[in-house]
Amino acid sequence: MASNQKQKTSRSAGAQVRPAGFPTRDQVMAFIAECDTPAGKREIAKAFGLKGQEKIALKALLKDMADEGLIDIGPARAFHKMGGVPKVTVLRIVDVDDTTLIATPERWEAEGQPAPRLRVLERGKRGALTIGDRVLARTEETGRGWVAHVMKKLAKASEELLGVVEEMADGKLWLRPVDKRIRKDTPISDVGTAKPGDLVLAEPHGRPPRIFARVTDILGDPFAPRSFSLIAIHKHGIPHVFPERVEEEAVKASALPLHEDKREDLRHLPIVAIDPVDARDHDDAVWAAPDEDEANPGGYRAIIAIADVSYYVRPGSALDKEARKRGNSVYFPDLVVPMLPHQLSSDMCSLRAGQDRAAMACHLTINAQGKVTAWRFTRAVIRVAAVLAYENAQAAIDGEQDNALLEPALKPLWACWALLRKAREARDPLALDLPERRVVLDEAGKIVSVAVRERLDAHMLIEDYMIAANVAAAKALEAKKAPVMYRVHEAPGRDKLVALKEYLATFDMDFALGQVIRPSTFNALIRKIAESEEKEQIMVQILRSQTQAYYAPQNMGHFGLALGSYAHFTSPIRRYADLLVHRALVGAHGLELPAPKGGVIPDRSSLSQDDYENMGRVGEMISGHERRAMEAERETVDRYVAAYLAAHVGEVMPARITGVQNFGFFATVEGLGGDGLVPVSTLGAERFFYDEAGKALEGVETGERYAVGQRLELRLAEADPINGSLRFELPDVPAPRGGPMKRDRTRPGIKRGRPTNIRHIGAKRGKHNR
């Protein structure tokens, strides 16, 4: 206490001898607050014309002000008001509020004060930033709080690591990453209460090359049921817990009256929902019947009834903000992370058999040539006659299974679909029939099998009805000059077409770059190869040449489907884009219903002003969320496949080469999937050329060639369920020359360095280019 008093007296004495004209505390505070650039000691001294002893006095003053809690010191030794934010600082984007990104300072040390949340204002193209990104930003305090003007995006740093705690023979603990792209383990400096084998989150610290991990959160057993999905959820930052207020609002919204008297009553029709056998929600149902209008001989009428989600999830509500933040539902083999709370997604909005449900009905008139000649949209009340699995609907139509709905519902649906198929064949959309894996689990969450999904007519029937409704929704909005959230798929770029041309040349197939590229162009290539061995690998390369589809309010057409106008309308339970299209239809076609009473649920279910103004920004956001979901789903399936194959390590199995690089080739197990590397260093003593154009490795002496699409037998050397990686080797290849290979001491068994038996060939070198 005496020491502290002595210190204060000393500082006060220092303050009393400051020179005349020296700035007061208030003047310094005003300068720091008003300065457009970071204000350090040098800038303050220059502003007040301080020299010599005055600078020493300024240093003491600034120290006093910091001790008194008036100012704080930020990056680059710049001062700012305590509780405020430095003028220029590093921020991390942590959240999205509607369409506005929210960031917090990367370093915040104001004790007892929560870190401020800054609204991020992007420069140039919006949508370039997302949650987790770091930015250098200029900050300012406005009447509505702090805002950040982005100066530049920074490299990601000190992100949390996701991995499994492993104990080495010497007793030291290491973090083994779940991301197979990270090749090295990280030593753990602070394990907390985690034990070897635990799946954990950790934060890195230290400076390269001495980086350590500090465990921050224990997620549990990585091999427990559902852990593979949790790994993906945490790795990709997928929101998976609904805030309490969102759950509460879902309960209130689900209690809204249907207003049957103001909806079209379709409960008398035998409408059926046809879905996967393991579907958790049902947002579409279909009905068809011959058109009795003499003006449409041989034609049909069809209704595609979609859950009326926009009635329950209204603009500006807590439900809406959470749905926009998620963008879509994410489907894992063992669980679903829904876009909407279960009270809506799998209950009130799900079209259950025998229960009255609110629906948005798309009425289509289809002529004998399969062309949709008219459409209209209504808000309706329906009662689904039955929910059928694809397999059961197909068995009924094939006469293999009795079903009371065969005559009144299924046969008319198939007859109408025959017309829609005519129109589809006339358009000739891209026809890449590639296998899709399905992981089957038992009740305990253990893997029973991994199989390729069977493609049935029932699948294509529902697909064609949904496409017809999606097109009708886009055109109905265009006719009203209303905003549309289009599903855009642009034509392939020239670079990818050039690469495809070079690849096809290795099969002696011509591909003219000067022609107008249409989906039918690729279909003609596929028809040329018929059922040859190369068909699947060529289809894969054609798929890789395509652009990625996205959402936008500007119409660029849908190349793959050969459609000029296309929007997603049929899955509003699981896609936010569809919800926006529903709202647009409500507004454009005057389908608003009486406002809810009580003032808790917003009045309108049509597009809000915020929806109108931010269509572009929202399109970019939900496109990013879709890519995130696809990557998380794919990685999870890879982990399940690796777990399934872990019991078969050492066995020889049929495989197919999926990719070739100068360091080796990647292969997948036929019928199962997964992706594993065969390092070039394990191919024996022979030297190999890397043929970049032909995507192949070719032996210099023997001409032995390993090319994309090639089928061969491989031995499974390693299957790692944690990161989903596999490693293969040729069944009968002698050990590489040169004795034992150098191994990475942090990852026993992983070989490092450039292989000695590889030589690179560019795209235009000799016979290897073919």
Side-chain angles (χ1 to χ4, degrees):
M1 183 71 98
S3 174
N4 287 346
Q5 186 62 43
K6 183 178 179 181
Q7 215 170 31
K8 285 182 181 178
T9 303
S10 173
R11 285 185 191 163
S12 296
Q16 289 171 358
V17 296
R18 285 172 187 145
F22 193 85
T24 64
R25 281 170 163 74
D26 289 341
Q27 288 174 321
V28 172
M29 287 288 292
F31 175 76
I32 291 172
E34 294 167 7
C35 187
D36 291 333
T37 57
K41 188 179 72 172
R42 182 181 300 174
E43 288 75 21
I44 297 171
K46 185 177 180 181
F48 290 99
L50 305 181
K51 299 178 181 178
Q53 290 298 316
E54 294 173 326
K55 289 184 179 181
I56 298 174
L58 175 64
K59 181 178 180 181
L61 175 62
L62 293 173
K63 192 172 189 317
D64 283 349
M65 291 175 69
D67 289 344
E68 292 164 17
L70 296 175
I71 59 173
D72 195 8
I73 189 165
R77 308 295 295 172
F79 295 93
H80 58 88
K81 185 175 69 174
M82 180 63 74
V85 182
K87 286 291 187 299
V88 175
T89 190
V90 176
L91 304 174
R92 182 181 294 274
I93 296 170
V94 296
D95 201 359
V96 180
D97 184 6
D98 284 346
T99 58
T100 304
L101 294 171
I102 304 297
T104 59
E106 187 166 63
R107 290 179 56 200
W108 182 254
E109 299 172 0
E111 191 174 338
Q113 297 186 51
R117 291 166 63 86
L118 296 86
R119 290 180 292 117
V120 177
L121 306 180
E122 297 181 70
R123 296 190 307 171
K125 183 183 176 183
R126 304 187 74 186
L129 299 174
T130 188
I131 291 175
D133 285 344
R134 297 169 68 244
V135 296
L136 181 67
R138 180 172 58 81
T139 67
E140 66 172 321
E141 193 173 13
T142 67
R144 295 179 55 199
W146 287 91
V147 297
H149 303 271
V150 175
M151 299 167 66
K152 67 176 179 177
K153 182 177 177 181
L154 303 175
K156 291 190 177 183
S158 66
E159 291 184 355
E160 282 194 307
L161 303 172
L162 184 63
V164 175
V165 178
E166 286 194 343
E167 186 174 11
M168 298 302 174
D170 58 5
K172 292 182 179 178
L173 298 176
W174 292 72
L175 186 72
R176 177 182 170 199
V178 300
D179 190 338
K180 58 187 172 186
R181 294 171 298 184
I182 301 176
R183 302 289 298 276
K184 289 188 176 182
D185 297 349
T186 304
I188 297 175
S189 62
D190 182 0
V191 75
T193 58
K195 302 182 296 295
D198 280 348
L199 177 66
V200 300
L201 281 171
E203 60 181 17
H205 66 94
R207 293 185 178 181
R210 296 179 59 78
I211 299 294
F212 298 89
R214 182 186 297 118
V215 173
T216 59
D217 200 5
I218 302 171
L219 304 180
D221 181 358
F223 294 101
R226 300 192 175 184
S227 282
F228 292 157
S229 300
L230 289 175
I231 288 172
I233 287 169
H234 284 282
K235 178 186 171 186
H236 293 279
I238 296 171
H240 65 292
V241 177
F242 286 103
E244 190 174 332
R245 62 191 178 89
V246 175
E247 294 275 16
E248 290 172 354
E249 189 175 286
V251 172
K252 292 173 182 173
S254 66
L256 289 174
L258 289 180
H259 292 298
E260 292 99 325
D261 58 325
K262 298 187 182 300
R263 291 178 178 271
E264 183 180 19
D265 194 342
L266 300 176
R267 287 175 286 191
H268 61 289
L269 297 177
I271 298 178
V272 295
I274 304 177
D275 277 312
V277 66
D278 55 354
R280 280 86 156 183
D281 49 59
H282 310 283
D283 48 15
D284 60 82
V286 289
W287 170 88
D291 193 352
E292 297 173 358
D293 189 343
E294 294 180 359
N296 188 25
Y300 270 75
R301 291 181 297 122
I303 295 174
I304 296 91
I306 307 299
D308 190 2
V309 177
S310 64
Y311 179 64
Y312 299 101
V313 182
R314 299 178 177 234
S317 65
L319 278 167
D320 179 46
K321 291 177 181 178
E322 185 67 19
R324 186 182 288 187
K325 183 187 294 186
R326 293 173 179 235
N328 48 258
S329 297
V330 187
Y331 292 84
F332 297 111
D334 52 2
L335 62 86
V336 175
V337 179
M339 185 180 79
L340 303 173
H342 291 291
Q343 185 77 23
L344 293 176
S345 63
S346 54
D347 188 1
M348 190 51 66
C349 289
S350 188
L351 304 182
R352 293 178 170 180
Q355 298 185 17
D356 291 355
R357 287 291 184 264
M360 183 76 77
C362 171
H363 296 254
L364 301 180
T365 302
I366 302 158
N367 68 16
Q369 288 71 47
K371 182 180 179 181
V372 176
T373 58
W375 53 78
R376 67 185 178 91
F377 290 85
T378 65
R379 270 184 152 157
V381 57
I382 67 169
R383 185 179 297 153
V384 169
V387 175
L388 303 174
Y390 285 115
E391 294 79 5
N392 294 339
Q394 189 67 54
I397 207 74
D398 291 343
E400 299 171 0
Q401 192 177 99
D402 291 334
N403 194 303
L405 290 169
L406 179 62
E407 294 296 333
L410 297 180
K411 281 190 175 180
L413 278 171
W414 253 260
C416 180
W417 174 55
L419 303 183
L420 291 174
R421 291 294 291 173
K422 286 183 184 179
R424 184 185 182 101
E425 288 164 5
R427 291 198 328 268
D428 202 10
L430 192 58
L432 296 176
D433 188 16
L434 292 166
E436 181 186 355
R437 291 174 294 169
R438 176 170 175 252
V439 176
V440 181
L441 308 176
D442 62 18
E443 292 182 0
K446 300 297 183 183
I447 306 163
V448 175
S449 66
V450 182
V452 175
R453 289 183 187 270
E454 188 179 5
R455 179 82 164 153
L456 304 171
D457 282 352
H459 290 100
M460 293 183 279
L461 172 140
I462 292 299
E463 184 178 296
D464 282 336
Y465 277 110
M466 297 305 115
I467 289 172
N470 287 337
V471 172
K475 291 187 174 180
L477 290 172
E478 288 174 346
K480 295 284 187 177
K481 294 182 168 49
V484 186
M485 182 63 80
Y486 290 100
R487 179 63 167 177
V488 178
H489 182 228
E490 298 184 53
R494 181 173 176 81
D495 288 351
K496 289 191 174 183
L497 291 176
V498 169
L500 179 64
K501 175 184 173 66
E502 292 175 347
Y503 177 73
L504 292 173
T506 64
F507 295 93
D508 296 322
M509 295 178 68
D510 292 328
F511 184 74
L513 293 177
Q515 64 185 315
V516 176
I517 303 296
R518 297 186 176 91
S520 57
T521 309
F522 298 111
N523 292 340
L525 285 173
I526 295 168
R527 283 191 289 270
K528 271 185 187 178
I529 54 180
E531 296 302 319
S532 69
E533 269 192 18
E534 294 83 12
K535 182 176 182 179
E536 187 174 329
Q537 68 198 73
I538 290 175
M539 285 199 297
V540 167
Q541 292 305 315
I542 290 174
L543 177 63
R544 289 176 178 173
S545 73
Q546 304 302 304
T547 60
Q548 193 160 32
Y550 61 92
Y551 295 104
Q554 294 81 32
N555 187 16
M556 304 291 286
H558 197 293
F559 176 82
L561 292 175
L563 292 167
S565 297
Y566 192 66
H568 275 164
F569 159 78
T570 55
S571 296
I573 290 177
R574 61 185 180 89
R575 290 191 304 232
Y576 193 79
D578 303 50
L579 177 56
L580 290 176
V581 170
H582 278 234
R583 288 177 183 167
L585 288 166
V586 169
H589 290 265
L591 302 178
E592 197 66 82
L593 292 172
K597 296 178 181 178
V600 177
I601 306 295
D603 291 349
R604 68 191 297 167
S605 58
S606 56
L607 287 175
S608 66
Q609 188 63 33
D610 182 64
D611 288 334
Y612 275 104
E613 293 174 356
N614 291 292
M615 289 284 274
R617 169 67 177 152
V618 171
E620 292 165 354
M621 281 175 53
I622 59 181
S623 298
H625 295 334
E626 179 188 40
R627 290 190 289 273
R628 175 182 69 183
M630 290 169 62
E631 188 173 348
E633 290 166 357
R634 183 176 61 250
E635 288 178 2
T636 302
V637 171
D638 282 347
R639 288 189 177 96
Y640 271 108
V641 169
Y644 183 74
L645 288 172
H648 301 277
V649 170
E651 296 180 14
V652 176
M653 51 192 65
R656 178 172 50 83
I657 297 176
T658 57
V660 178
Q661 295 293 332
N662 61 355
F663 52 80
F665 62 83
F666 292 90
T668 185
V669 179
E670 291 275 43
L672 281 178
D675 205 30
L677 176 67
V678 179
V680 71
S681 55
T682 67
L683 297 181
E686 185 175 11
R687 293 180 64 83
F688 283 83
F689 283 106
Y690 171 48
D691 181 354
E692 187 174 359
K695 302 186 189 308
L697 289 170
E698 187 168 318
V700 175
E701 298 159 11
T702 65
E704 184 76 25
R705 190 172 174 87
Y706 299 100
V708 169
Q710 180 179 334
R711 286 176 166 81
L712 71 171
E713 297 280 308
L714 292 175
R715 179 183 290 109
L716 180 62
E718 182 181 317
D720 188 344
I722 298 300
N723 57 32
S725 67
L726 306 174
R727 187 168 60 83
F728 298 107
E729 57 191 17
L730 297 178
D732 300 304
V733 170
R737 63 188 175 191
M741 292 199 176
K742 184 180 178 181
R743 297 176 184 270
D744 189 317
R745 69 178 62 177
T746 64
R747 289 294 298 276
I750 298 296
K751 299 158 189 169
R752 302 296 187 199
R754 182 181 175 89
T756 58
N757 58 335
I758 186 69
R759 179 180 165 194
H760 183 277
I761 307 180
K764 299 180 180 178
R765 287 284 301 275
K767 65 167 186 165
H768 300 284
N769 195 33
R770 297 197 181 181

